Amino acid sequence: MIKTTSFEIAYHQFLQPNGEPSGGLPPLARDTDTLHALYHNMVFTRLYDERAVNMQRTGQIGTFASSLGQEAIGAGVGHAMQPDDIIAPSFRESGALFFRGFRVRDLLLYWGGDERGMSNPDVGDDFPICVPISTHCTHAAGAAFAVKYRNEPRVVVCLIGDGGTSKGDFYEAINLAGVWNLPLVVVINNNQWAISVPRSMQTKTETLAQKAIAAGIPGIQIDGNDPIAVRHHVAEAIENARHGNGPTLIEAISYRLCHHTTADDATRYRSDKELEAHRQYDPVPRLRTYMTQQGIWSEEQETQLQTDCKTAIEQEVQHYLASEPQPPESMFDSLYATLPGELESQRRSLMGKE
Amino acid sequence: MIKTTSFEIAYHQFLQPNGEPSGGLPPLARDTDTLHALYHNMVFTRLYDERAVNMQRTGQIGTFASSLGQEAIGAGVGHAMQPDDIIAPSFRESGALFFRGFRVRDLLLYWGGDERGMSNPDVGDDFPICVPISTHCTHAAGAAFAVKYRNEPRVVVCLIGDGGTSKGDFYEAINLAGVWNLPLVVVINNNQWAISVPRSMQTKTETLAQKAIAAGIPGIQIDGNDPIAVRHHVAEAIENARHGNGPTLIEAISYRLCHHTTADDATRYRSDKELEAHRQYDPVPRLRTYMTQQGIWSEEQETQLQTDCKTAIEQEVQHYLASEPQPPESMFDSLYATLPGELESQRRSLMGKE
Amino acid sequence: MSDITMIEAVNLALHHGMEHDPAMVILGEDIGINGGVFRATVDLLGRFGPERVLDTPLAENMIAGVAVGMAAQGLHPVAEIQFMGFIYPALDQMVSHAGRLRNRTRGRLSCPMVLRAPYGGGIHAPEHHSESTEALFAHIPGLRVVIPSSPTRAYGLLLASIRNPDPVIFLEPKRVYRLMKQGVKDNGEALPLDTCFVLRPGSDITLVSWGAMMHETQLAAEQLASEGVDAEVIDLATIKPIDMETILESVGRTGRCVIIQEAASTCSVGSEIAARLAEEGLMSLFAPIRRVSGYDTVMPMFRNEKHYMPSTERILQAVKETLEYA
Amino acid sequence: MSDITMIEAVNLALHHGMEHDPAMVILGEDIGINGGVFRATVDLLGRFGPERVLDTPLAENMIAGVAVGMAAQGLHPVAEIQFMGFIYPALDQMVSHAGRLRNRTRGRLSCPMVLRAPYGGGIHAPEHHSESTEALFAHIPGLRVVIPSSPTRAYGLLLASIRNPDPVIFLEPKRVYRLMKQGVKDNGEALPLDTCFVLRPGSDITLVSWGAMMHETQLAAEQLASEGVDAEVIDLATIKPIDMETILESVGRTGRCVIIQEAASTCSVGSEIAARLAEEGLMSLFAPIRRVSGYDTVMPMFRNEKHYMPSTERILQAVKETLEYA
Ligand SMILES: Cc1ncc(C[n+]2csc(CCOP(=O)(O)OP(=O)(O)O)c2C)c(N)n1
Ligand SMILES: Cc1ncc(C[n+]2csc(CCOP(=O)(O)OP(=O)(O)O)c2C)c(N)n1
Ligand SMILES: [Mg+2]
Ligand SMILES: [Mg+2]
């Protein structure tokens, strides 16, 4: 006797690489404000990344991870979230973090080696940047439980990379989200590389979205360089979760047009040819072309946007550069709610008082 | 634009619970020796379990995990393996271990709190029993790499429980096995409980076999109380792996007709009704009925088998009971290939020589 | 007030916490309808429901990580790891996140969680069921580690841990879960998380221990008393932070110290106490410090575990050598 | 023989191992075509091919577990964890299996593997890239822990670790990966895995350190020499087992000891050395032992990391206090 159970994974795209619609468009494709917001965020992020990479070169910050080429994911995710939702970011989603209220100065502080980068109270209870890959997936699930427990209409969005999907934390978290029906959306930035390890060496699966099947939750694959697809499908998943329909896994296919970080030299392991071939999928010109064709974007607006972003970023950079380091003893001061006695003396000795 | 990818998980059964074929049968269903071997192993294991549970009650061994009701899995897996293959067991597969050369005295030593239970050189490089759930999945993958690396025609078989599939180790191991195309077969004993946690609270998936889709490897579900299905499909997966076709995940559906271990009281969390309802799926009478209908099993053979098994087990029990404990200093003697100097003095002090 | 065992005291404290703190939830493997493999969580599911008493899938890393996420969002999760031998997958979350969340965000977020686990040997359990690796957590900044040794201290210290605004590893010496009964008042009174308990004042020698080994340590002290040796017995109780003041004061008076622990000796909590004595109390010592520890071997399987765990005899032997030192 | 850095010495030892031992394989994240994020494995893929130089998926627990499985089946895996901050998911496998396989099977199976990781701070890296948690592994029975502090010792100790029949945690102080060059003979000669290295004989005080802190320790010793203080400088090198004989002999002569480590102080390797001195060398001490350690705080992000790591000044201060003690 043989019975079978079937599963499907769909791939979605609205805008082709050349900016032409690839079929029916969702309502947001006609919503100028949304399109402008997405575009603004992408341009802003790209300029911020460029500036930050330069700052690293001149020693003004430390190792930095750009999101060049992947801006549609941060923008789409950040814009799809409601203010009260909660983000559990990895480290490559500056665009999403800007939507959440993180400022350039916060991120520069963080990459500049200063804990205050994650302390901005305006970002509410959003999680800080998470460096150990995939470990924040379970935090996101725990947070999703917390909001569900309190009957709050909030959703948690967790961002990870393609490499991150190989780690047990990821599976454990989506499995729990499935069985507990948690309001969680996990978005994979499949930029096709985990430092030097290509997507094909991470896993044998045809898609990363199908990993959802192991958790019994919906999984979809989207063109992660199509800001409309990201915004639309992430919002749909978020609203699903908000209405009690449980978690979704979204694989957003993109490409890392930059080095892994400023500490990396991708030319060691990646051909120029491959890199160049992917430039045509760049999300920024894609949305710009679409908006131009829709008659909602002009050269003047572009120029203005570039100027505005640069000015805003520059102001933030100056803020950052003017920041005094924290006093050395700050390493003791947020460690516990109340410093245990045994650390008082270590603190004093650090301050040269003993 | 929408594209879709599809996946299927099949369920296989050859013998119905009442012992009647449920469709076409594989060749082994006509192979008397194989059927006898499977049946012998199942009966032996059941009698061993019974004896061991009693020994625990009288303090002759410690906590013990019976495989009552799940004997078809151990038997089918153990018989499907070639001598040179490698098993990475969990702790509930005594039947498979008997096929591998572990003796009753070995297992009693182990459950009696004596490391020598896992030292029998006749079991070659089979892995020892693994207590921390799922942690041996990666060992199995590593072993599978080793045999592949040396071009040996060997396959590694890893056994875990339904609860074990929630743990990251499991996913990480099958993911690696997929992408490295390792000769690995992972068999899940889905006995529907992980101590008190029912299968439905482990995961939302319809099957456990579909977790294979997350690793891009074949997954099938079989009736784990049908010894013919287990033997056939495990052997098929093993031979596939042996011929370079990579790993398979097999979910064998069974039911834990016993307490979790002797330390557990399943009546606290499981209804008698549920338990009783599952007795009809018992693999032992199922195979016996089939063999009787085939005219290859008689009352006399049954009586003889019971007597033989009991005698053999009893001899082993006596062996175990006669075993002297290891000397206390044995805790030092297999810790390292050569004992570091600093431990020499600890060893001497244990022996009262210092 | 009734006489109860340590495991009942743990259960009582959990009930008290759940009763008074709607943000508290309990999670772990088999902690629901089964009431925990040691019965620590018995009746909680019935009383507080499956929204607050959460049987999880089998994944310790996940349990710890989910607790971190809950705690970051204002809940007070008390997570159980079934045995300390299975706590290692949870260590990453405790080291990398639980102990850092407050610091990393300069206080914007915090992590008020408790990770409970039965620990230690002596119950004739299978492999991996007898670990005493409290030192791993004691080494980690941002964590607290607490180990009770009696029903009253279990109750008071667990309540304190539940209310603590930072992550606490709460290790329960399962060998003494049911060894003794004490009258425990269910009055919600917590004990301090930074103070040793002097169980027996004495002037000749200081014995420091914690967890199940308090039992042998106290037996040794009684034996010594009958031989005219007046031992001071200290229950460390809070492993991190360590209340060195009490220990230094005591050793300042007795001049001799034996530290008793079940754990392997190297880089252990006993090492830390000895090191601090060597740094801060050296000149009051009349004799070398002695550690009586488990050996630096894998805890043997149970047929031989008694040879691993410090016995009253080993303690007495060390005490005598310390007293006789000249 | 050419002058090379420590990272080059690591690479050289890996090459030598691969060349002479067909059972050796290398695995980890980005260790193939990329040659490792620190270039430790550069050229190995090209020379030995993808069958033996294995870029893995991103999962440290898996890397360790797969290495255990390989080792159990006769291979000699050398696995890299990219940074020690990501080693915690691998700890379960090292504690529960690598350190126990031989013991569990009474020698039927064994686990000849090496787990390499760069460790320590001082390179202005992001969070989690500056850990010094060697004590966690040093506490675990069945493991060995090795930390080189110079190119020659990196070469000799890594070769010894590769050939060792038991699991070795090999931690590389990345801050000094490129700090100094030494002439390293690629002659395949291993160094012992149970012996300290006395880098500078001296009679006034014993300084014990390891890893990157050897640098500051040696600077301190030079400074002291210029002030007429003759410090003996010991590179611990093998963290587990500890060669106490050499240390005790030294402290027996000098009567004073300062232990310098980058790690947090509590339950650290420094605690262990201090404890053993307090047990076995107490009466030769003229002054309290001093540990100069990282604080028991999370290593600050890099803007402030210099305040965390022991400086030459802090070492000198501790030495002076120890010398002046009366
Ligand atoms: C647990 C862990 N292991 C290793 C690293 C080092 N590391 C940083 S990023 C990275 C690759 C991540 O790849 P992916 O998940 O695809 O994210 P991407 O960088 O491409 O955005 C690695 C290995 C880490 N941060 N955490
Ligand atoms: C990592 C780990 N966590 C917890 C346990 C305690 N424990 C032993 S068996 C078990 C349930 C296992 O369930 P399953 O995987 O379905 O196997 P089964 O016992 O049903 O054969 C648990 C939680 C363990 N051994 N290892
Ligand atoms: Mg990536
Ligand atoms: Mg089960």
Side-chain angles (χ1 to χ4, degrees):
Chain A
M1 185 189 63
I2 304 187
K3 292 185 299 192
T4 57
T5 322
S6 307
F7 307 91
E8 290 206 334
I9 295 295
Y11 170 85
H12 302 272
Q13 183 198 61
F14 292 117
L15 289 188
Q16 298 177 48
N18 63 8
E20 301 280 341
S22 61
L25 289 171
L28 81 94
R30 317 252 173 268
D31 176 348
T32 306
D33 285 351
T34 296
L35 297 177
H36 281 182
L38 291 171
Y39 189 67
H40 178 114
N41 180 271
M42 294 202 295
V43 167
F44 185 89
T45 304
R46 186 161 290 189
L47 290 167
Y48 156 74
D49 277 345
E50 203 179 294
R51 186 73 172 94
V53 168
N54 280 330
M55 290 175 73
Q56 188 280 333
R57 295 245 167 77
T58 54
Q60 292 170 307
I61 59 171
T63 302
F64 177 78
S66 158
S67 50
L68 190 70
Q70 308 141 72
E71 293 90 346
I73 297 174
V77 166
H79 194 269
M81 293 177 71
Q82 296 298 316
D84 268 358
D85 291 338
I86 298 168
I87 197 166
S90 171
F91 53 85
R92 203 185 284 287
E93 296 82 23
S94 308
L97 295 186
F98 292 138
F99 268 127
R100 301 299 305 159
F102 285 87
R103 298 160 302 185
V104 165
R105 73 183 82 163
D106 297 327
L107 300 189
L108 290 177
L109 273 172
Y110 184 79
W111 297 113
D114 190 317
E115 291 81 358
R116 289 172 301 183
M118 292 294 116
S119 73
N120 179 353
D122 292 345
V123 302
D125 41 19
D126 276 347
F127 283 95
I129 284 176
C130 180
V131 168
I133 300 289
S134 260
T135 54
H136 59 308
C137 295
T138 50
H139 306 168
F145 174 86
V147 299
K148 182 179 172 172
Y149 177 79
R150 291 189 296 251
N151 283 311
E152 294 166 355
R154 303 164 72 191
V155 175
V156 182
V157 179
C158 176
L159 284 150
I160 63 165
D162 46 315
T165 66
S166 296
K167 210 153 163 278
D169 312 61
F170 163 72
Y171 299 99
E172 292 180 353
I174 60 171
N175 185 58
L176 185 78
V179 72
W180 285 9
N181 198 42
L182 298 177
L184 175 68
V185 177
V186 177
V187 180
I188 303 167
N189 170 357
N190 176 3
N191 63 11
Q192 305 185 44
W193 289 91
I195 309 187
S196 70
V197 180
R199 154 72 179 78
S200 60
M201 288 173 75
Q202 285 293 339
T203 185
K204 201 187 167 186
T205 60
E206 296 151 86
T207 70
L208 299 179
Q210 76 197 62
K211 293 182 186 265
I213 297 171
I217 67 173
I220 59 168
Q221 211 180 29
I222 59 176
D223 183 338
N225 286 353
D226 171 358
I228 296 183
V230 178
R231 170 63 177 76
H232 175 80
H233 288 286
V234 172
E236 192 170 86
I238 289 177
E239 295 318 314
N240 257 327
R242 199 182 313 284
H243 291 93
N245 301 322
T248 304
L249 177 66
I250 300 177
E251 174 190 3
I253 301 181
S254 182
Y255 190 83
R256 202 188 76 206
L257 288 179
C258 47
H259 300 292
H260 169 68
T261 62
T262 51
D264 177 51
D265 175 6
T267 62
R268 278 187 201 145
Y269 52 79
R270 187 169 71 171
S271 74
D272 278 355
K273 217 173 111 203
E274 179 185 312
L275 178 65
E276 291 313 318
H278 276 91
R279 293 206 192 275
Q280 61 179 304
Y281 305 111
D282 191 331
V284 176
R286 187 181 311 197
L287 183 56
R288 184 177 167 191
T289 308
Y290 173 75
M291 293 197 304
T292 308
Q293 282 164 356
Q294 297 291 308
I296 59 167
W297 197 250
S298 66
E299 275 302 328
E300 298 70 53
Q301 282 171 296
E302 180 71 23
T303 314
Q304 188 63 44
L305 177 64
Q306 296 272 343
T307 316
D308 291 352
C309 289
K310 283 183 189 153
T311 311
I313 290 168
E314 215 40 51
Q315 273 179 3
E316 288 285 312
V317 168
Q318 293 314 319
H319 250 289
Y320 162 70
L321 291 175
S323 71
E324 289 294 319
Q326 302 173 92
E329 65 274 20
S330 62
M331 73 176 85
F332 289 92
D333 295 341
S334 303
L335 194 58
Y336 295 93
T338 317
L339 196 67
E342 66 180 28
L343 293 184
E344 293 279 3
S345 69
Q346 290 192 17
R347 187 174 183 277
R348 279 196 301 274
S349 104
L350 167 66
M351 297 174 71
K353 293 200 182 131
E354 224 164 50
Chain B
M1 184 189 65
I2 305 190
K3 291 184 302 190
T4 57
T5 322
S6 308
F7 307 92
E8 291 206 333
I9 295 296
Y11 170 86
H12 302 274
Q13 181 198 61
F14 292 118
L15 290 189
Q16 298 178 48
N18 63 9
E20 301 280 341
S22 62
L25 289 171
L28 81 95
R30 318 251 173 267
D31 177 348
T32 306
D33 286 350
T34 295
L35 297 178
H36 282 182
L38 291 171
Y39 189 67
H40 177 115
N41 180 271
M42 294 203 294
V43 167
F44 185 90
T45 303
R46 186 162 291 192
L47 290 167
Y48 155 74
D49 277 344
E50 202 179 294
R51 187 73 174 91
V53 168
N54 280 329
M55 290 175 74
Q56 188 279 332
R57 296 244 167 77
T58 54
Q60 292 171 308
I61 59 171
T63 302
F64 178 77
S66 159
S67 49
L68 190 70
Q70 307 141 71
E71 293 89 346
I73 298 174
V77 166
H79 195 269
M81 294 177 71
Q82 296 298 315
D84 268 358
D85 291 339
I86 298 168
I87 197 165
S90 170
F91 53 84
R92 203 186 284 288
E93 297 81 22
S94 308
L97 296 186
F98 292 139
F99 269 128
R100 301 298 305 160
F102 285 87
R103 298 161 301 184
V104 165
R105 73 183 80 163
D106 296 327
L107 299 190
L108 289 177
L109 273 172
Y110 184 79
W111 296 112
D114 190 316
E115 289 83 356
R116 288 172 302 182
M118 292 293 117
S119 73
N120 180 353
D122 292 345
V123 302
D125 41 19
D126 276 346
F127 283 94
I129 284 176
C130 180
V131 167
I133 301 288
S134 260
T135 54
H136 59 306
C137 296
T138 50
H139 306 165
F145 174 87
V147 299
K148 182 178 173 176
Y149 176 80
R150 291 189 296 250
N151 282 311
E152 295 166 353
R154 301 165 73 191
V155 176
V156 182
V157 180
C158 176
L159 284 149
I160 63 164
D162 46 316
T165 65
S166 296
K167 209 153 163 278
D169 313 61
F170 163 72
Y171 299 98
E172 292 180 354
I174 61 172
N175 186 58
L176 184 78
V179 74
W180 285 9
N181 197 43
L182 298 177
L184 176 68
V185 177
V186 177
V187 180
I188 304 167
N189 170 357
N190 176 2
N191 63 11
Q192 305 185 43
W193 289 91
I195 310 187
S196 71
V197 180
R199 154 71 178 79
S200 60
M201 289 173 73
Q202 286 294 339
T203 185
K204 201 187 167 188
T205 60
E206 298 152 84
T207 70
L208 299 179
Q210 76 198 59
K211 293 182 185 261
I213 297 171
I217 67 173
I220 58 167
Q221 211 181 27
I222 59 176
D223 183 339
N225 287 352
D226 171 356
I228 296 181
V230 178
R231 170 64 177 73
H232 175 78
H233 287 287
V234 172
E236 192 170 87
I238 289 177
E239 295 319 314
N240 257 327
R242 199 182 313 286
H243 292 93
N245 301 321
T248 304
L249 176 66
I250 299 177
E251 173 191 5
I253 301 181
S254 182
Y255 190 84
R256 202 188 76 205
L257 287 179
C258 47
H259 300 292
H260 169 67
T261 62
T262 51
D264 177 51
D265 175 5
T267 63
R268 278 187 201 145
Y269 52 81
R270 187 169 69 171
S271 74
D272 277 357
K273 216 173 112 204
E274 179 186 310
L275 179 64
E276 291 313 317
H278 276 91
R279 292 205 193 277
Q280 61 179 302
Y281 304 112
D282 191 332
V284 176
R286 187 182 310 198
L287 183 55
R288 184 177 167 191
T289 308
Y290 173 75
M291 293 197 305
T292 308
Q293 283 165 354
Q294 298 291 307
I296 59 166
W297 197 249
S298 65
E299 275 301 331
E300 297 71 52
Q301 280 170 299
E302 180 70 24
T303 315
Q304 188 63 45
L305 176 63
Q306 296 272 343
T307 318
D308 291 352
C309 288
K310 283 182 190 157
T311 312
I313 289 167
E314 216 39 53
Q315 274 178 5
E316 288 286 311
V317 168
Q318 293 314 318
H319 250 290
Y320 162 69
L321 291 175
S323 71
E324 289 294 321
Q326 301 173 91
E329 66 273 20
S330 63
M331 74 177 84
F332 290 92
D333 296 340
S334 301
L335 193 58
Y336 295 92
T338 317
L339 196 67
E342 64 179 27
L343 292 184
E344 293 279 2
S345 69
Q346 291 192 16
R347 186 173 184 278
R348 279 196 302 274
S349 104
L350 167 66
M351 296 174 73
K353 293 202 183 128
E354 225 162 50
Chain C
M1 181 174 107
S2 55
D3 276 5
I4 60 173
T5 61
M6 180 186 293
I7 187 76
E8 289 164 338
V10 166
N11 184 257
L12 203 61
L14 292 174
H15 269 94
H16 196 282
M18 291 289 277
E19 186 77 50
H20 292 82
D21 179 2
M24 177 171 162
V25 296
I26 294 190
L27 66 157
E29 295 159 10
D30 304 293
I31 57 110
I33 183 166
N34 195 35
V37 296
F38 285 103
R39 330 288 299 131
T41 56
V42 83
D43 289 341
L44 287 159
L45 176 67
R47 179 119 169 250
F48 301 102
E51 299 76 25
R52 298 183 64 196
V53 180
L54 307 152
D55 266 325
T56 64
L58 204 169
E60 285 75 12
N61 170 63
M62 179 275 286
I63 290 172
V66 161
V68 169
M70 290 171 165
Q73 297 299 330
L75 298 189
H76 300 150
V78 178
E80 175 176 302
I81 300 294
Q82 203 161 73
F83 286 87
M84 191 172 201
F86 311 130
I87 211 169
Y88 307 117
L91 188 121
D92 183 30
Q93 285 291 339
M94 300 315 291
V95 173
S96 302
H97 296 297
R100 298 190 189 194
L101 196 55
R102 181 187 292 280
N103 186 65
R104 171 177 298 147
T105 61
R106 298 282 101 154
R108 182 171 63 82
L109 299 177
S110 62
C111 193
M113 66 175 281
V114 179
L115 195 71
R116 293 180 43 243
Y119 92 105
I123 62 158
H124 273 209
E127 269 192 285
H128 302 276
H129 287 70
S130 306
E131 318 265 319
S132 298
T133 40
E134 62 271 24
L136 301 187
F137 295 96
H139 184 54
I140 301 303
L143 300 181
R144 288 174 181 269
V145 183
V146 177
I147 299 182
S149 73
S150 76
T152 47
R153 287 190 291 284
Y155 179 83
L157 291 171
L158 182 50
L159 271 184
S161 301
I162 290 170
R163 293 174 193 160
N164 193 269
D166 291 307
V168 179
I169 314 284
F170 191 85
L171 300 173
E172 301 163 10
K174 59 177 168 312
R175 176 157 65 91
V176 296
Y177 258 161
R178 299 186 168 83
L179 187 73
M180 74 193 105
K181 289 196 172 197
Q182 277 181 335
V184 175
K185 283 203 209 94
D186 188 16
N187 56 5
E189 270 180 33
L191 288 167
L193 287 186
D194 56 1
T195 312
C196 291
F197 297 89
V198 179
L199 302 189
R200 186 187 191 288
S203 54
D204 294 336
I205 188 164
T206 304
L207 307 183
V208 182
S209 190
W210 54 94
M213 290 311 307
M214 285 315 306
H215 179 66
E216 281 72 23
T217 302
Q218 285 178 286
L219 287 181
E222 282 165 32
Q223 172 69 27
L224 289 168
S226 77
E227 297 171 17
V229 176
D230 191 20
E232 179 142 316
V233 176
I234 296 180
D235 177 4
L236 191 62
T238 59
I239 306 304
K240 186 184 188 75
I242 293 177
D243 170 14
M244 271 314 287
E245 254 171 75
T246 303
I247 298 171
L248 282 166
E249 187 278 328
S250 172
V251 177
R253 280 186 285 104
T254 63
R256 302 179 197 264
C257 183
V258 175
I259 303 158
I260 301 104
Q261 63 183 355
E262 195 172 308
S265 186
T266 294
C267 295
S268 62
V269 176
S271 318
E272 181 60 27
I273 297 171
R276 293 203 200 173
L277 284 171
E279 287 178 330
E280 300 169 44
L282 188 86
M283 293 307 148
S284 48
L285 287 170
F286 303 145
I289 298 163
R290 284 293 294 269
R291 285 177 291 171
V292 181
S293 308
Y295 299 101
D296 282 308
T297 66
V298 174
M299 164 68 111
M301 284 178 72
F302 67 79
R303 211 171 177 183
N304 269 342
E305 69 178 343
K306 64 174 178 295
H307 299 294
Y308 179 91
M309 293 189 297
S311 59
T312 308
E313 292 68 47
R314 273 177 69 198
I315 300 170
L316 287 170
Q317 178 71 19
V319 168
K320 279 175 192 157
E321 286 168 19
T322 305
L323 290 170
E324 284 159 17
Y325 188 90
Chain D
M1 180 172 108
S2 55
D3 277 6
I4 59 174
T5 60
M6 181 185 293
I7 187 76
E8 289 165 337
V10 166
N11 185 257
L12 203 60
L14 291 174
H15 269 93
H16 196 282
M18 291 289 276
E19 185 77 49
H20 292 82
D21 178 2
M24 177 171 161
V25 297
I26 294 189
L27 65 156
E29 295 159 9
D30 304 293
I31 57 111
I33 185 166
N34 195 35
V37 295
F38 285 101
R39 328 290 300 130
T41 55
V42 83
D43 290 341
L44 286 160
L45 176 67
R47 179 120 168 249
F48 301 102
E51 300 76 25
R52 296 184 64 196
V53 180
L54 307 152
D55 267 323
T56 64
L58 203 169
E60 285 75 10
N61 170 63
M62 179 275 285
I63 291 172
V66 161
V68 169
M70 291 171 164
Q73 298 298 332
L75 297 189
H76 301 151
V78 178
E80 175 175 303
I81 299 293
Q82 204 160 75
F83 287 88
M84 192 174 200
F86 311 130
I87 212 170
Y88 307 116
L91 187 121
D92 183 30
Q93 285 291 339
M94 300 314 291
V95 173
S96 303
H97 296 298
R100 298 191 190 193
L101 197 55
R102 181 187 292 279
N103 186 65
R104 171 177 298 146
T105 61
R106 299 281 103 154
R108 182 171 64 82
L109 299 177
S110 62
C111 193
M113 66 175 281
V114 179
L115 195 71
R116 292 180 43 243
Y119 92 107
I123 62 158
H124 273 211
E127 269 192 284
H128 302 274
H129 288 69
S130 306
E131 318 265 321
S132 297
T133 39
E134 62 271 23
L136 302 187
F137 295 96
H139 184 55
I140 301 303
L143 300 181
R144 287 174 180 269
V145 183
V146 177
I147 298 181
S149 73
S150 76
T152 46
R153 287 191 291 284
Y155 178 84
L157 291 171
L158 182 51
L159 271 184
S161 301
I162 291 170
R163 293 173 194 160
N164 192 268
D166 292 307
V168 178
I169 313 284
F170 192 84
L171 300 173
E172 300 163 10
K174 58 177 165 320
R175 177 158 63 92
V176 296
Y177 259 162
R178 298 186 169 83
L179 188 71
M180 74 193 107
K181 290 195 173 198
Q182 278 181 333
V184 175
K185 282 202 207 95
D186 187 16
N187 56 6
E189 270 180 33
L191 287 168
L193 287 187
D194 55 3
T195 312
C196 291
F197 296 89
V198 179
L199 302 189
R200 185 186 191 288
S203 53
D204 295 336
I205 187 164
T206 304
L207 307 184
V208 182
S209 189
W210 55 93
M213 290 312 306
M214 286 316 306
H215 180 65
E216 281 71 22
T217 302
Q218 285 179 286
L219 288 181
E222 281 165 33
Q223 172 69 27
L224 289 167
S226 78
E227 297 170 18
V229 176
D230 191 21
E232 178 142 317
V233 176
I234 296 180
D235 177 4
L236 191 62
T238 59
I239 306 303
K240 186 184 187 76
I242 293 178
D243 171 14
M244 271 314 285
E245 253 171 77
T246 303
I247 297 172
L248 281 166
E249 187 278 328
S250 172
V251 177
R253 280 186 287 103
T254 63
R256 305 182 195 261
C257 182
V258 174
I259 303 158
I260 301 102
Q261 63 184 355
E262 194 172 308
S265 185
T266 294
C267 295
S268 63
V269 176
S271 318
E272 181 59 27
I273 298 171
R276 293 201 199 175
L277 284 171
E279 286 178 329
E280 301 170 43
L282 188 86
M283 293 307 149
S284 49
L285 287 170
F286 304 143
I289 298 162
R290 284 293 295 269
R291 286 176 292 172
V292 182
S293 307
Y295 299 101
D296 282 307
T297 66
V298 175
M299 163 69 110
M301 284 179 72
F302 68 78
R303 211 170 176 186
N304 268 341
E305 68 178 344
K306 64 174 177 296
H307 298 295
Y308 178 91
M309 294 189 297
S311 59
T312 309
E313 292 68 47
R314 273 177 68 198
I315 301 169
L316 288 171
Q317 177 69 21
V319 167
K320 278 174 192 157
E321 286 167 20
T322 306
L323 290 171
E324 283 160 17
Y325 189 89

